[in-house]
C-alpha cells in the first residue's frame, strides 16, 4: 500500500517538474522595448509582474489545495479503518478526525488569504 502511494507521489512530482520545465519559455525575459522611453520600460515591467504573480498564485493555491485534499483523504480513510476495527470507539475517532480536518482546512484558508494578498497588495 505504501509503495503504491509513494509511486503516485513520484509520478505527480515528475509531472510537476516537467510542467515547470515546459514553462521556462513563458518565464523568459521579454526583449527590451525599442527606444529607452521610461513609460515603455515601466509598462513592460508591470506586465512582467502580473504574469509572475499569476504563476505564483496558481502554484500556491494548487499546492495548498492538493496537499490539503490528500491529507483529508488519508485522515478520512484512516478514521474509517479505525472505526471498522473498533466500533466502540467511534465517537472518539470521529471527534479526532473532525478536529484534524478543521486544522487542515484552516491551513488551506490561510493559503487562500496569502494568495489574495499577492493578487491585490503586491
Amino acid at each position: 500500500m505504501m509503495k503504491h502511494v509513494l509511486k503516485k507521489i513520484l509520478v505527480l512530482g515528475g509531472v510537476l517538474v516537467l510542467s515547470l520545465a515546459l514553462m521556462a519559455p513563458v518565464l523568459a525575459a521579454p526583449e527590451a522595448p525599442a527606444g529607452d522611453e521610461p513609460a515603455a520600460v515601466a509598462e513592460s515591467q508591470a506586465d512582467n509582474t502580473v504574469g509572475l504573480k499569476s504563476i505564483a498564485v496558481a502554484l500556491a493555491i494548487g499546492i495548498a489545495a492538493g496537499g490539503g485534499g490528500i491529507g483529508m483523504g488519508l485522515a478520512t480513510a484512516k478514521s474509517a479503518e479505525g472505526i471498522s476495527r473498533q466500533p466502540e470507539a467511534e465517537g472518539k475517532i470521529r471527534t479526532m478526525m473532525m478536529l484534524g480536518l478543521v486544522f487542515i482546512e484552516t491551513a488551506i484558508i490561510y493559503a487562500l488569504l496569502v494568495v489574495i494578498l499577492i493578487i491585490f497588495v503586491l
Side-chain angles (χ1 to χ4, degrees):
M1 177 66 179
M2 195 61 166
K3 288 183 181 181
H4 186 64
V5 172
L6 184 60
K7 185 177 178 182
K8 282 185 177 183
I9 290 172
L10 289 175
V11 168
L12 289 175
V15 168
L16 178 65
V17 169
L18 180 64
S19 64
L20 288 175
L22 293 175
M23 237 189 323
V26 175
L27 300 175
E31 294 182 20
D36 293 323
E37 301 172 11
V41 172
E43 182 179 333
S44 172
Q45 288 176 349
D47 290 342
N48 193 19
T49 59
V50 169
L52 291 176
K53 279 199 274 187
S54 300
I55 292 170
V57 164
L59 284 174
I61 202 67
I63 291 171
I70 290 171
M72 286 181 175
L74 289 174
T76 305
K78 293 296 180 178
S79 68
E81 182 180 322
I83 290 171
S84 67
R85 287 177 189 236
Q86 291 183 333
E88 65 276 359
E90 177 184 4
K92 289 182 180 181
I93 293 172
R94 182 173 289 135
T95 301
M96 292 305 293
M97 179 194 69
M98 288 302 209
L99 187 62
L101 292 178
V102 165
F103 287 137
I104 293 170
E105 191 67 29
T106 302
I108 297 170
I109 291 171
Y110 285 149
L112 178 65
L113 290 175
V114 168
V115 165
I116 290 171
L117 286 174
I118 289 173
I119 292 172
F120 294 115
V121 175
L122 296 178

